[in-house]
Amino acid sequence: MAQTGLWRDALTRDEIDELLEMHDWRSWASVGLDWGLVFGAMALVAWLPHVLTVLLALFVIGARQLGLAVLMHEAAHRTLFSSRRVNDWVGNWLCAYPIWADLHPYRPYHLQHHAKNWTDEDPDLELARKHPVTAASMRRKVWRDLSGRVGWKRVRILLRRDVQGGDGMHTSRARAGWHNLRGVVGTNALLLAVLTLAGHPLLYLLWVGAWFTSYSLVTRIRSIAEHSSVPDPTDELQNTRTTEASWWERLFIAPNRVNYHLEHHLLMTVPHYHLPRMHELLCERGVLEHALVTRGYPGVLREAASKA
């Protein structure tokens, strides 16, 4: 039953329909949780300003910025909300724009990745091929993330994408110009205004600092975990990884069920909140017995840094 290409035989039509069913309130809960943790981390620093609370807040906020990127990804599949208008509005204004992303250029780029996974036409192929690397190389990459160097590189790429129309992240814009920055500028101005009205405008620096540091790191870890160091790029159960995550990994590394990436690739229109159930069903029926499922992110990173 676990043979590649026959995984659907393990699920009944009713089970698949149940997995595909959308519950808008659960998506609103995910959006609310991400922003709630962001403001909760900021409130902790305001209440108890200390280097340790600042560091904790940076890592919590960076993970929630990834969480918003994951929800933008969900919107790209049109599985965030049942209304396409609400799906795209929330996907951009509450998820993508605040972290300087954009749903509309991301969608065709990402759908091509799904259609052409591990082929020469996969836009993410070079990211997947980079690993494994040496432990020393991995340490340098982590330092570049946490020192902000990768963040500054991302700024240059995004400015080139939005303002100049050159090759940038995901796709170039059809029409270049400063007007493409309205979303990111407007949402970040609103965030700063809210914090200013609350009497703590400097807390906005936590948002910016996390985007330059911890967000870069958890984005790298996500990329490594999903498709790097795979046993067989031609096997759909071996070319994409699911990582079984503990509670602290879900808090700091894998928000919004992003760790169930194998299940997502098998059936990409399953909303994120149903992925654990899909994983459970496939496990019960032996489908994942020889699939690429790793327990915990430390194991994933050890494999990615195993080159001699």
Side-chain angles (χ1 to χ4, degrees), residues 235-252:
D235 186 336
E236 64 181 343
L237 296 178
Q238 294 276 320
N239 65 13
T240 304
R241 178 185 287 102
T242 275
T243 306
E244 295 179 337
S246 63
W247 69 267
W248 69 265
E249 289 171 314
R250 294 196 301 272
L251 176 62
F252 290 107

Side-chain angles (χ1 to χ4, degrees), residues 110-125 265:
H110 182 67
L111 294 181
Q112 182 177 347
H113 162 65
H114 273 270
K116 304 295 184 179
N117 189 28
W118 277 104
T119 71
D120 290 339
E121 297 175 76
D122 182 356
D124 284 344
L125 185 60
H265 265 261

Side-chain angles (χ1 to χ4, degrees), residues 46-179:
W47 175 61
L48 188 64
H50 189 277
V51 64
L52 293 180
T53 57
V54 169
L55 288 174
L56 176 62
L58 287 173
F59 280 95
V60 169
I61 293 170
R64 291 306 116 182
Q65 289 173 337
L66 175 61
L68 296 174
V70 171
L71 295 180
M72 175 195 70
H73 158 267
E74 188 94 347
H77 288 284
R78 296 192 170 95
T79 54
L80 189 60
F81 291 98
S82 53
S83 163
R84 287 198 173 190
R85 182 178 179 182
V86 173
N87 181 86
D88 286 9
W89 189 89
V90 174
N92 253 341
W93 287 97
L94 298 185
C95 301
Y97 288 154
I99 57 169
W100 201 349
D102 192 325
L103 170 64
H104 298 301
Y106 175 78
R107 178 177 281 141
Y109 165 94
H110 182 67
L111 294 181
Q112 182 177 347
H113 162 65
H114 273 270
K116 304 295 184 179
N117 189 28
W118 277 104
T119 71
D120 290 339
E121 297 175 76
D122 182 356
D124 284 344
L125 185 60
E126 290 308 309
L127 294 175
R129 282 177 169 172
K130 286 182 177 180
H131 298 88
V133 297
T134 65
S137 175
M138 182 64 75
R139 287 193 294 270
R140 289 194 296 270
K141 293 177 189 301
V142 170
W143 171 244
R144 287 198 294 269
D145 289 333
L146 294 180
S147 66
R149 289 175 59 187
V150 169
W152 281 112
K153 179 180 179 180
R154 192 163 63 245
V155 168
R156 293 192 295 271
I157 292 173
L158 290 169
L159 281 174
R160 188 162 64 247
R161 181 196 71 181
D162 290 345
V163 180
Q164 299 175 5
D167 291 337
M169 301 181 94
H170 311 139
T171 63
S172 59
R173 297 298 189 98
R175 292 182 300 168
W178 289 102
H179 64 275

Side-chain angles (χ1 to χ4, degrees), residues 12-32:
T12 68
R13 183 66 253 177
D14 286 343
E15 287 170 335
I16 292 176
D17 289 342
E18 184 178 336
L19 291 172
L20 295 177
E21 188 174 356
M22 296 174 63
H23 303 292
D24 288 0
W25 70 269
R26 299 192 69 172
S27 289
W28 281 119
S30 294
V31 174

